[in-house]
């Protein structure tokens, strides 16, 4: 019973709460963490404050990451885990910088394939890439971290951000507030779906931007299919449940409509044969669908969608109610599933920041991704746009734009770090080299029935390759398979595609 003897040797005083927090380093995870009052009050007061927290009492302080010291690597703080932020973290030199990421999700979503997960063509994990795989230093290096939190306030004068943990609405967990000091701050917090102030959209529609959105769409779709077969349900109610409405004729809305029509024609007709003639898909767009594509490709897409049973309606949604939406001409459209895909706009956090904004309300930046009015703050991705003083038009909210901005800024920060400009306020007057230049690589979209559109022109008026059909579909799949971040997920995607082709889509409602 050697362990009993060892236990008996332990002094009784070590079990007291006061001795648990005898030093500031034992109170925190590491010496890099601190409390806001740690340097302002005597040691006994620090112990008392820590004891109050243990007892569940409120203490007027923040825990967090203190400013970096001499001998430590400069800290790059990234807010967000989207295309821009993850590409920057992947390219940052962790021998120069410590990397800290704050985001309400611990993964990056491969959005071009997100629509495929809604109908079971792909599994959800196939489009989610953990941040720790994108940048392994976050889980290995002592000064690099990922925090499941949202940023609530930016204090650019003191080079600090205030954060609050995400608890997913659990009433048993109280959000913990903390702050992080940074040397370089990267705002890559993305954008949110645009509702244009239309009443009822937030309460009744489902967006398609996150994995949990796709999960909600899939559960709702399968629930409606099963409810429609229940004996005694009215004919009008059955038709409403089986009416899927997509608002927004951009690539996301068209691709989801195509995936949904494939699901209906290949799987629903076999496994829900009692209601196969009642299920419908309607795509509502205020103008032309796929407006950024070549006119010839747009007409081809319209023709193929009509063949797949997708009804195209031109109109503007005025109001959304729990079971129907109302168009500008007074037409009422009942629905069982409503997917909203009408573009993006600045998030509430971006709107709250006291930073210069571009004409669209996004964070204003110069040609080097800097926010000119504050030091050591950069913005990339959908949350940023060029200031009017640069003379450049704001780039579209596309994954390829965000990814290339992240790659450019990572290289710029690496150069700054090697030149001694990695610390806070140390890059003033530093030559930054060539500004960011975006070159459009083209657009692709699948429309179902093994058909897709490929438009490789730099602009709608430019010249280049544009094609449609089965070959384009093969190019679309090949291109996105190679763009999936890790070999692990490439394997998942390839196996899911093969399984779906051989056995059909998974229709389990889990």
């Amino acid at each position: 019973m050697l362990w009993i003897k060892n236990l008996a040797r332990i002094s009784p005083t070590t079990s007291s709460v006061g001795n648990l927090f005898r030093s500031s380093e034992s109170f925190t995870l590491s010496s890099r963490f601190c409390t806001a009052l740690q340097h302002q009050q005597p040691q006994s007061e620090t112990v008392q404050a820590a004891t109050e927290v243990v007892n569940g009492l409120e203490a007027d302080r923040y825990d967090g990451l203190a400013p970096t010291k001499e001998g430590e690597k400069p800290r790059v703080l990234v807010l967000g885990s989207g295309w821009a932020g993850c590409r920057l973290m992947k390219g940052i030199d962790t021998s120069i910088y410590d990397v800290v990421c704050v985001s309400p999700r611990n993964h990056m979503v491969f959005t071009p394939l997100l629509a495929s997960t809604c109908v079971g063509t792909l599994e959800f994990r196939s489009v989610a890439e953990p941040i720790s795989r994108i940048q392994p230093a976050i889980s290995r290096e002592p000064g690099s971290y990922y925090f499941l939190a949202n940023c609530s306030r930016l204090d650019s004068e003191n080079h600090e951000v205030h954060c609050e943990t995400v608890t997913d609405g659990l009433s048993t967990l109280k959000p913990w507030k903390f702050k992080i000091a940074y040397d370089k701050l990267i705002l890559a917090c993305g954008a949110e779906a645009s509702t244009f102030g239309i009443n009822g959209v937030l309460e009744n529609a489902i967006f398609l931007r996150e994995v949990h959105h796709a999960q909600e769409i899939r559960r709702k779709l399968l629930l409606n299919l099963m409810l429609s077969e229940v004996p005694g349900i009215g004919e009008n109610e059955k038709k409403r449940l089986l009416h899927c409405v997509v608002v927004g004729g951009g690539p996301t809305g068209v691709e989801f409509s195509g995936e949904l029509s494939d699901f209906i024609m290949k799987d629903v007709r076999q496994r829900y044969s009692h209601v196969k003639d009642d299920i419908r898909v309607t795509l509502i767009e205020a103008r032309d669908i796929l407006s950024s594509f070549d006119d010839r490709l747009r007409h081809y897409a319209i023709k193929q969608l009509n063949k797949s049973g997708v009804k195209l309606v031109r109109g503007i949604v005025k109001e959304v109610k729990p079971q129907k939406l109302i168009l500008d001409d007074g037409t009422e459209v009942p629905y069982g599933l409503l997917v909203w895909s009408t573009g993006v706009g600045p998030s509430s956090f971006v709107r709250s920041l006291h930073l210069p904004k571009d004409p669209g309300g996004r964070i204003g930046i110069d040609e080097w991704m800097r926010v000119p009015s504050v030091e050591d703050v950069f913005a990339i991705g959908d949350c940023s746009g060029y200031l009017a003083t640069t003379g450049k038009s704001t780039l579209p909210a596309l994954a390829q734009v965000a990814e290339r901005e992240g790659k450019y800024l990572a290289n710029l920060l690496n150069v700054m770090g090697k030149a001694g400009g990695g610390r806070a306020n140390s890059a003033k007057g530093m030559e930054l080299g060539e500004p960011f230049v975006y070159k459009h690589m083209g657009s692709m979209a699948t429309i179902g029935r093994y058909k897709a559109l490929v438009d490789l022109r730099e602009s709608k008026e430019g010249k280049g390759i544009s094609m449609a059909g089965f070959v384009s579909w093969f190019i679309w799949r090949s291109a996105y398979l190679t763009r999936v971040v890790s070999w692990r997920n490439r394997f998942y995607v390839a196996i899911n595609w093969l399984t779906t082709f051989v056995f059909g889509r998974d229709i389990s409602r889990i």
Side-chain angles (χ1 to χ4, degrees), residues 209-324:
R209 295 183 54 78
E210 304 286 349
V211 171
H212 67 85
H213 292 151
Q215 292 173 327
E216 186 178 0
I217 291 171
R218 186 166 170 177
R219 287 178 59 84
K220 182 74 171 176
L221 176 62
L222 294 175
L223 175 64
N224 289 350
L225 281 168
M226 289 182 282
L227 289 178
S228 65
E229 291 188 315
V230 174
I233 190 170
E235 192 65 26
N236 290 335
E237 179 64 7
K238 177 188 292 188
K239 290 182 178 181
R240 184 192 68 80
L241 287 171
L242 296 176
H243 190 197
C244 304
V245 177
V246 183
V247 179
T252 301
V254 170
E255 288 190 335
F256 176 70
S257 299
E259 288 282 354
L260 196 54
S261 66
D262 269 2
F263 174 65
I264 293 170
M265 296 180 68
K266 297 177 182 178
D267 298 271
V268 172
R269 291 184 181 278
Q270 293 180 7
R271 304 176 192 185
Y272 292 94
S273 58
H274 300 99
V275 296
K276 63 180 181 180
D277 296 326
D278 296 314
I279 188 165
R280 299 170 295 144
V281 181
T282 298
L283 176 60
I284 301 175
E285 170 56 42
R287 299 180 181 86
D288 295 324
I289 68 167
L290 301 173
S291 58
S292 62
F293 283 75
D294 178 75
D295 289 339
R296 181 178 61 87
L297 298 184
R298 287 197 307 104
H299 293 312
Y300 179 85
I302 293 172
K303 181 180 178 181
Q304 291 299 318
L305 289 172
N306 287 330
K307 283 184 177 181
S308 300
V310 178
K311 181 182 179 182
L312 302 179
V313 175
R314 177 172 292 188
I316 300 174
V317 178
K318 287 298 183 182
E319 185 181 2
V320 177
K321 295 185 177 182
Q323 296 184 357
K324 65 181 179 180

Side-chain angles (χ1 to χ4, degrees), residues 80-115:
S81 56
W83 281 87
C86 286
R87 185 59 184 86
L88 179 135
M89 287 188 284
K90 181 179 180 180
I92 202 77
D93 189 344
T94 53
S95 66
I96 301 175
Y97 295 101
D98 283 332
V99 181
V100 176
C101 177
V102 174
S103 175
R105 69 182 189 199
N106 70 341
H107 58 274
M108 169 192 162
V109 179
F110 193 80
T111 49
L113 297 179
L114 188 59

Side-chain angles (χ1 to χ4, degrees), residues 77-81 100-104 146-147 149-151 163 178 180:
L77 174 58
V78 183
L79 301 183
S81 56
V100 176
C101 177
V102 174
S103 175
Y146 162 75
F147 297 126
N150 283 313
C151 179
C163 304
F178 60 96
I180 303 173

Side-chain angles (χ1 to χ4, degrees), residues 387-417:
L387 289 168
T389 54
T390 64
K392 293 188 174 183
S393 58
T394 297
L395 297 174
L398 299 175
Q400 60 176 296
V401 175
E403 183 182 29
R404 246 169 292 170
E405 287 181 345
K407 181 179 180 180
Y408 168 84
L409 186 54
N411 293 333
L412 179 61
L413 291 175
N414 292 339
V415 172
M416 292 171 63

Side-chain angles (χ1 to χ4, degrees), residues 157-222:
E157 292 185 3
N158 295 316
H159 277 61
E160 291 179 340
V161 295
H162 295 246
C163 304
E164 185 174 302
T165 56
V166 174
T167 60
D168 285 338
L170 296 177
S171 58
T172 55
L173 293 177
K174 184 176 181 180
W176 180 256
K177 295 181 180 180
F178 60 96
K179 61 184 179 182
I180 303 173
Y182 63 84
D183 292 291
K184 306 295 179 187
L185 173 63
I186 316 301
L187 298 171
C189 40
E192 63 184 26
S194 295
T195 64
F196 305 101
I198 299 172
N199 185 39
V201 175
L202 291 175
E203 296 81 4
N204 301 299
I206 306 176
F207 305 105
L208 187 53
R209 295 183 54 78
E210 304 286 349
V211 171
H212 67 85
H213 292 151
Q215 292 173 327
E216 186 178 0
I217 291 171
R218 186 166 170 177
R219 287 178 59 84
K220 182 74 171 176
L221 176 62
L222 294 175

Side-chain angles (χ1 to χ4, degrees), residues 344-356:
V344 296
S347 65
S348 56
F349 171 67
V350 169
R351 292 194 298 268
S352 71
L353 294 175
H354 299 293
L355 297 174

